[in-house]
Amino acid sequence: MTKMLLQLASLILLWGSVAAHMLMSYPPSLRYVHNPHTDPGNADSSLTSPLSPSGSDFPCHGSLHLLGTAEGAPVASWAAGASYNFTISGGAPHNGGSCQASFSFDGGKTFTVVHSYVGNCPSPAGGDSSFPFRVPADAPASDAAVFAWTWFNNLGNREMYMNCAVVKVSSSSSRGASEPLPFASRPKIFEANIGNGCTTQDSANLLFLSPGPDVDVNDQHAVPATGTCETATASSGGAGGDNSGESSGSSTGGNSGATPTALAVEPTNGVAGMSAGGGGDSGPTGGTDDENSTEYIPGNFFPQGYSLGSRAVETAAVALAVAVLVDFVLLA
């Protein structure tokens, strides 16, 4: 009886630990168990968890110290001006949310947005979802660029998720091609829910006030974050601000103003830009064969075929497990 009670208690704890978990499986993140350069003894079981509410592990779950080491070797080779995909895996997408893809060419000091996805990122259905982006033609060449995926979930606790992978970026013949915005003038990644005074709204998709020139708008009713949020970008010509200002036709003001007219953008790819089980153009399609199995790997992702649905479903499952445990205690 005692053994059964311990097993039930472990099940409840396991459920709680994976209920909010999503992860960038391609390109494989730093310290990801399926990253070919990861030392198995150094794998990070928290990659599927949100960043600390204090921001103490921002950016990249504190893994950038691996840059320049064997574990920080590139996992993909991309060319400036070319298009690729990144893949998000997991079973608890919290009704999706809004994401950004970005690059850092200074070791993680700054991250520059190359694509924003407003709504449906990741797929609300869970499982694997693949998102297209393009490396700007004027992006710097680097043997150790940091590619980052950041996610602000729709349902649940107000959180910020972030996974980072090291990639090689090479120049191409299209480097001199005209870009809608110079790389150096693209916006920084949006930061919220990490102790910086900026908070996203629950049960809503985040509207990025500075999405950059490449954006998929899958939710015309998305809402901006509240609080002191950085909104300055050259893409809209604004000077940045916080919640106290107005934003009329630019991102000059803060979140309490009207939605900037610069964000009245038609979806460029929309939901059609996502495909189940897709991987990066130059890498594996969603990872290794282990990801197609039905075995749960602790701290990484739920297997394909599991879809936890909404927070209500997750809560009901936990409540049922607790009720069963209580019954066993009473019968004992």
Coordinates of all heavy atoms in Angstrom, one line a residue, residues 174-240:
S174 N 23.3 37.0 -51.8 CA 22.2 38.0 -51.7 C 22.4 39.0 -50.5 O 21.5 39.7 -50.2 CB 20.9 37.2 -51.4 OG 20.9 36.5 -50.2
R175 N 23.6 39.0 -50.0 CA 23.8 39.9 -48.9 C 23.6 41.3 -49.2 O 23.1 42.1 -48.3 CB 25.3 39.7 -48.4 CG 25.6 40.6 -47.1 CD 26.9 40.3 -46.5 NE 27.2 41.1 -45.4 CZ 26.7 40.9 -44.2 NH1 25.9 39.9 -44.0 NH2 27.0 41.7 -43.2
G176 N 23.8 41.7 -50.4 CA 23.5 43.1 -50.8 C 22.1 43.4 -51.2 O 21.8 44.5 -51.6
A177 N 21.2 42.4 -51.1 CA 19.8 42.6 -51.4 C 19.1 43.5 -50.5 O 19.5 43.7 -49.3 CB 19.1 41.2 -51.4
S178 N 18.2 44.2 -51.0 CA 17.4 45.2 -50.2 C 16.6 44.5 -49.2 O 15.9 43.6 -49.4 CB 16.5 46.0 -51.2 OG 15.8 47.0 -50.4
E179 N 16.7 45.0 -47.9 CA 15.9 44.5 -46.8 C 14.9 45.6 -46.4 O 15.1 46.8 -46.5 CB 16.8 44.2 -45.6 CG 17.6 43.0 -45.8 CD 16.8 41.7 -45.7 OE1 15.8 41.7 -45.0 OE2 17.2 40.7 -46.3
P180 N 13.7 45.1 -45.9 CA 12.7 46.1 -45.5 C 13.1 47.0 -44.4 O 12.6 48.1 -44.1 CB 11.5 45.3 -45.1 CG 12.1 43.9 -44.8 CD 13.2 43.8 -45.8
L181 N 14.1 46.5 -43.6 CA 14.7 47.2 -42.5 C 16.1 46.6 -42.3 O 16.3 45.4 -42.2 CB 13.8 47.0 -41.2 CG 14.1 47.9 -40.0 CD1 13.7 49.3 -40.3 CD2 13.4 47.3 -38.8
P182 N 17.1 47.5 -42.1 CA 18.4 47.0 -41.9 C 18.5 46.1 -40.6 O 17.8 46.4 -39.6 CB 19.3 48.3 -41.7 CG 18.5 49.4 -42.4 CD 17.1 49.0 -42.2
F183 N 19.3 45.1 -40.6 CA 19.4 44.2 -39.5 C 19.6 45.0 -38.2 O 19.0 44.7 -37.1 CB 20.5 43.2 -39.7 CG 20.5 42.1 -38.6 CD1 19.7 41.0 -38.7 CD2 21.3 42.2 -37.5 CE1 19.6 40.0 -37.7 CE2 21.3 41.3 -36.5 CZ 20.5 40.2 -36.6
A184 N 20.5 45.9 -38.2 CA 20.9 46.7 -37.0 C 19.7 47.5 -36.4 O 19.7 47.9 -35.3 CB 22.1 47.6 -37.2
S185 N 18.7 47.7 -37.3 CA 17.6 48.6 -36.9 C 16.3 47.7 -36.5 O 15.3 48.3 -36.1 CB 17.2 49.5 -38.0 OG 18.2 50.4 -38.3
R186 N 16.4 46.4 -36.6 CA 15.3 45.5 -36.2 C 15.1 45.6 -34.7 O 16.1 45.9 -34.0 CB 15.6 44.1 -36.7 CG 15.4 43.9 -38.2 CD 15.8 42.5 -38.6 NE 15.5 42.3 -40.0 CZ 14.4 41.7 -40.5 NH1 13.5 41.2 -39.7 NH2 14.3 41.5 -41.8
P187 N 13.9 45.3 -34.2 CA 13.6 45.4 -32.8 C 14.3 44.3 -32.0 O 14.7 43.3 -32.5 CB 12.1 45.2 -32.7 CG 11.8 44.4 -33.9 CD 12.7 44.9 -35.0
K188 N 14.5 44.6 -30.7 CA 15.0 43.7 -29.7 C 13.9 42.7 -29.4 O 12.7 43.0 -29.6 CB 15.5 44.4 -28.5 CG 16.7 45.3 -28.7 CD 17.2 45.8 -27.3 CE 16.1 46.6 -26.6 NZ 16.6 47.1 -25.3
I189 N 14.2 41.5 -28.9 CA 13.1 40.6 -28.5 C 12.3 41.3 -27.3 O 12.8 42.0 -26.5 CB 13.7 39.2 -28.0 CG1 14.6 39.4 -26.8 CG2 14.3 38.5 -29.1 CD1 15.0 38.0 -26.2
F190 N 11.1 40.9 -27.3 CA 10.2 41.4 -26.3 C 10.4 40.6 -25.0 O 10.6 39.4 -25.0 CB 8.7 41.2 -26.7 CG 7.8 41.9 -25.8 CD1 7.6 43.3 -25.8 CD2 7.0 41.2 -24.9 CE1 6.7 43.9 -24.9 CE2 6.1 41.8 -24.0 CZ 6.0 43.2 -24.0
E191 N 10.4 41.3 -23.9 CA 10.7 40.7 -22.6 C 9.5 41.0 -21.6 O 9.1 42.2 -21.5 CB 12.0 41.2 -21.9 CG 13.2 40.9 -22.8 CD 14.5 41.5 -22.2 OE1 14.5 41.8 -21.0 OE2 15.4 41.8 -23.0
A192 N 9.0 40.0 -21.0 CA 7.9 40.3 -20.0 C 7.8 39.1 -19.1 O 8.4 38.0 -19.3 CB 6.5 40.4 -20.8
N193 N 7.2 39.3 -17.9 CA 7.0 38.3 -16.9 C 8.2 37.7 -16.3 O 8.3 36.6 -15.7 CB 6.2 37.1 -17.5 CG 4.9 37.5 -18.2 OD1 4.3 38.5 -17.8 ND2 4.6 36.8 -19.3
I194 N 9.3 38.5 -16.3 CA 10.6 38.1 -15.7 C 11.1 39.2 -14.8 O 12.3 39.5 -14.7 CB 11.6 37.7 -16.8 CG1 11.8 38.9 -17.8 CG2 11.3 36.4 -17.5 CD1 13.0 38.6 -18.8
G195 N 10.2 39.8 -14.0 CA 10.6 40.7 -13.0 C 11.0 42.1 -13.6 O 11.7 42.8 -12.9
N196 N 10.6 42.4 -14.8 CA 11.0 43.7 -15.4 C 9.9 44.7 -15.5 O 10.0 45.7 -16.2 CB 11.5 43.4 -16.8 CG 10.5 42.8 -17.8 OD1 9.5 42.2 -17.3 ND2 10.7 43.0 -19.1
G197 N 8.8 44.4 -14.7 CA 7.7 45.4 -14.7 C 6.7 45.3 -15.8 O 5.8 46.1 -16.0
C198 N 6.9 44.3 -16.7 CA 6.0 44.2 -17.9 C 5.3 42.8 -17.8 O 6.0 41.8 -17.5 CB 6.9 44.2 -19.1 SG 5.9 44.1 -20.7
T199 N 4.0 42.8 -17.9 CA 3.2 41.6 -17.7 C 2.3 41.3 -18.9 O 1.5 42.3 -19.3 CB 2.4 41.6 -16.4 OG1 3.3 41.9 -15.3 CG2 1.7 40.3 -16.2
T200 N 2.2 40.1 -19.4 CA 1.2 39.8 -20.5 C -0.1 39.5 -19.8 O -0.2 39.2 -18.7 CB 1.7 38.6 -21.3 OG1 1.9 37.5 -20.4 CG2 3.0 38.9 -22.0
Q201 N -1.2 39.6 -20.6 CA -2.5 39.4 -20.1 C -2.9 37.9 -20.3 O -2.6 37.2 -21.3 CB -3.5 40.3 -20.9 CG -3.2 41.7 -20.7 CD -4.4 42.6 -21.2 OE1 -5.5 42.3 -21.0 NE2 -4.0 43.8 -21.7
D202 N -3.6 37.4 -19.3 CA -4.1 36.0 -19.2 C -5.2 35.8 -20.2 O -6.0 36.7 -20.5 CB -4.6 35.6 -17.8 CG -4.8 34.2 -17.7 OD1 -4.4 33.4 -18.5 OD2 -5.4 33.8 -16.7
S203 N -5.2 34.6 -20.8 CA -6.3 34.1 -21.7 C -6.4 35.0 -22.9 O -7.4 35.3 -23.5 CB -7.6 34.1 -21.0 OG -7.6 33.2 -19.9
A204 N -5.2 35.5 -23.4 CA -5.2 36.3 -24.6 C -3.8 36.1 -25.3 O -2.8 35.8 -24.6 CB -5.4 37.8 -24.2
N205 N -3.8 36.3 -26.6 CA -2.5 36.3 -27.3 C -1.9 37.6 -27.2 O -2.5 38.7 -27.3 CB -2.7 35.9 -28.8 CG -3.1 34.4 -28.9 OD1 -2.6 33.5 -28.3 ND2 -4.1 34.2 -29.7
L206 N -0.6 37.6 -27.0 CA 0.2 38.9 -26.9 C 0.3 39.6 -28.3 O 0.7 38.9 -29.3 CB 1.6 38.6 -26.3 CG 2.6 39.8 -26.3 CD1 2.1 40.9 -25.4 CD2 4.0 39.3 -25.9
L207 N 0.1 40.8 -28.3 CA 0.3 41.7 -29.4 C 1.7 42.4 -29.2 O 1.8 43.2 -28.3 CB -0.8 42.7 -29.6 CG -0.6 43.8 -30.7 CD1 -0.7 43.1 -32.1 CD2 -1.6 44.9 -30.6
F208 N 2.6 42.0 -30.1 CA 3.9 42.7 -30.0 C 3.8 44.1 -30.5 O 3.4 44.3 -31.7 CB 5.0 41.9 -30.8 CG 5.3 40.5 -30.3 CD1 4.8 39.4 -31.0 CD2 5.9 40.3 -29.1 CE1 5.1 38.1 -30.5 CE2 6.2 39.1 -28.6 CZ 5.8 38.0 -29.3
L209 N 4.2 45.1 -29.7 CA 4.1 46.5 -30.2 C 5.2 46.8 -31.2 O 5.2 47.7 -31.9 CB 4.2 47.4 -29.0 CG 3.0 47.4 -28.1 CD1 3.1 48.4 -27.0 CD2 1.7 47.6 -28.8
S210 N 6.3 45.9 -31.1 CA 7.4 46.1 -32.1 C 7.7 44.8 -32.7 O 8.7 44.1 -32.3 CB 8.6 46.7 -31.3 OG 8.3 47.9 -30.7
P211 N 6.9 44.3 -33.6 CA 7.1 43.0 -34.2 C 8.2 42.9 -35.2 O 8.7 41.8 -35.5 CB 5.8 42.6 -34.8 CG 5.3 44.0 -35.2 CD 5.7 44.9 -34.2
G212 N 8.7 44.0 -35.8 CA 9.6 43.9 -36.9 C 8.9 43.8 -38.2 O 7.7 43.6 -38.2
P213 N 9.6 43.8 -39.3 CA 8.9 43.8 -40.6 C 8.4 42.4 -41.0 O 7.6 42.3 -41.9 CB 10.1 44.2 -41.6 CG 11.3 43.8 -40.9 CD 11.1 44.0 -39.4
D214 N 8.9 41.3 -40.4 CA 8.4 40.0 -40.7 C 7.6 39.5 -39.6 O 8.1 39.1 -38.5 CB 9.6 39.1 -40.9 CG 10.5 39.5 -42.1 OD1 10.0 39.7 -43.2 OD2 11.7 39.7 -41.9
V215 N 6.3 39.4 -39.8 CA 5.3 39.0 -38.8 C 4.1 38.3 -39.3 O 3.6 38.6 -40.4 CB 4.8 40.3 -38.0 CG1 4.3 41.3 -39.0 CG2 3.8 40.0 -36.9
D216 N 3.7 37.2 -38.6 CA 2.5 36.5 -39.0 C 1.5 36.9 -37.9 O 1.7 36.7 -36.7 CB 2.7 35.0 -38.9 CG 3.6 34.5 -40.0 OD1 4.0 35.3 -40.8 OD2 3.9 33.3 -39.9
V217 N 0.4 37.5 -38.3 CA -0.7 37.9 -37.4 C -1.8 36.9 -37.6 O -2.6 36.9 -38.5 CB -1.2 39.3 -37.7 CG1 -2.3 39.7 -36.8 CG2 -0.1 40.3 -37.7
N218 N -1.9 36.0 -36.6 CA -3.0 34.9 -36.6 C -4.1 35.2 -35.7 O -5.1 34.5 -35.6 CB -2.3 33.6 -36.2 CG -1.2 33.2 -37.1 OD1 -1.4 33.2 -38.3 ND2 -0.1 32.9 -36.6
D219 N -4.1 36.4 -35.0 CA -5.1 36.8 -34.1 C -5.3 38.3 -34.2 O -4.5 39.0 -33.7 CB -4.8 36.3 -32.7 CG -5.9 36.7 -31.7 OD1 -7.0 37.2 -32.1 OD2 -5.7 36.4 -30.5
Q220 N -6.4 38.7 -34.8 CA -6.7 40.2 -34.9 C -7.1 40.8 -33.6 O -7.3 42.0 -33.5 CB -7.7 40.4 -36.0 CG -7.3 39.9 -37.4 CD -6.1 40.8 -38.0 OE1 -5.9 41.9 -37.5 NE2 -5.4 40.2 -38.9
H221 N -7.4 39.9 -32.6 CA -7.8 40.4 -31.3 C -6.7 40.3 -30.2 O -7.0 40.4 -29.0 CB -9.1 39.7 -30.8 CG -10.2 39.8 -31.8 ND1 -10.9 40.9 -32.1 CD2 -10.7 38.8 -32.7 CE1 -11.8 40.7 -33.0 NE2 -11.7 39.5 -33.4
A222 N -5.5 40.1 -30.6 CA -4.4 40.1 -29.6 C -4.3 41.4 -28.9 O -4.7 42.4 -29.4 CB -3.1 39.7 -30.4
V223 N -3.8 41.3 -27.7 CA -3.7 42.5 -26.8 C -2.3 42.7 -26.3 O -1.5 41.7 -26.1 CB -4.6 42.4 -25.6 CG1 -6.1 42.3 -26.0 CG2 -4.3 41.1 -24.8
P224 N -1.9 44.0 -26.1 CA -0.5 44.2 -25.7 C -0.3 43.9 -24.2 O -1.3 43.7 -23.5 CB -0.3 45.7 -25.9 CG -1.7 46.3 -25.8 CD -2.6 45.2 -26.4
A225 N 0.9 43.8 -23.8 CA 1.2 43.6 -22.4 C 0.9 44.9 -21.6 O 0.7 46.0 -22.2 CB 2.7 43.2 -22.2
T226 N 1.0 44.8 -20.3 CA 0.7 46.0 -19.4 C 2.0 46.2 -18.5 O 2.8 45.3 -18.3 CB -0.5 45.8 -18.5 OG1 -0.3 44.6 -17.7 CG2 -1.7 45.6 -19.4
G227 N 2.1 47.4 -18.0 CA 3.2 47.7 -17.2 C 4.3 48.5 -18.0 O 4.0 49.2 -19.0
T228 N 5.5 48.5 -17.5 CA 6.6 49.3 -18.1 C 7.3 48.4 -19.1 O 8.1 47.6 -18.7 CB 7.6 49.8 -17.0 OG1 6.9 50.5 -16.0 CG2 8.7 50.6 -17.7
C229 N 6.8 48.4 -20.3 CA 7.3 47.5 -21.4 C 8.1 48.3 -22.4 O 7.6 49.3 -22.9 CB 6.1 46.8 -22.0 SG 5.0 45.9 -20.9
E230 N 9.2 47.8 -22.8 CA 10.0 48.5 -23.9 C 9.3 48.3 -25.2 O 8.9 47.2 -25.6 CB 11.4 47.9 -23.9 CG 12.2 48.2 -22.7 CD 13.6 47.7 -22.8 OE1 14.0 47.3 -23.9 OE2 14.3 47.6 -21.8
T231 N 9.1 49.3 -25.9 CA 8.4 49.3 -27.2 C 9.2 50.0 -28.3 O 8.7 50.1 -29.4 CB 7.0 50.0 -27.1 OG1 7.2 51.3 -26.8 CG2 6.2 49.3 -26.1
A232 N 10.4 50.5 -28.0 CA 11.1 51.2 -29.0 C 11.7 50.4 -30.1 O 12.3 49.4 -29.9 CB 12.3 52.0 -28.4
T233 N 11.4 50.7 -31.4 CA 12.1 50.1 -32.5 C 12.2 51.0 -33.6 O 11.4 52.0 -33.8 CB 11.3 48.9 -33.0 OG1 10.1 49.3 -33.7 CG2 10.9 47.9 -32.0
A234 N 13.1 50.8 -34.5 CA 13.2 51.6 -35.7 C 12.2 51.2 -36.7 O 11.9 52.0 -37.6 CB 14.6 51.5 -36.3
S235 N 11.6 50.0 -36.6 CA 10.7 49.5 -37.6 C 9.4 50.4 -37.6 O 8.8 50.5 -38.7 CB 10.3 48.1 -37.3 OG 9.6 48.0 -36.0
S236 N 9.1 51.0 -36.5 CA 7.9 51.9 -36.6 C 8.2 53.3 -36.4 O 7.3 54.2 -36.2 CB 6.9 51.4 -35.5 OG 7.5 51.4 -34.2
G237 N 9.5 53.6 -36.3 CA 9.9 55.0 -36.2 C 9.7 55.6 -34.8 O 9.8 56.8 -34.6
G238 N 9.3 54.8 -33.8 CA 9.0 55.3 -32.5 C 10.2 55.4 -31.6 O 11.3 54.9 -31.9
A239 N 10.0 56.1 -30.5 CA 11.1 56.4 -29.6 C 11.0 55.5 -28.3 O 11.8 55.7 -27.4 CB 11.2 57.9 -29.2
G240 N 10.0 54.7 -28.3 CA 9.8 53.9 -27.1 C 9.1 54.6 -26.0 O 9.0 55.8 -25.9

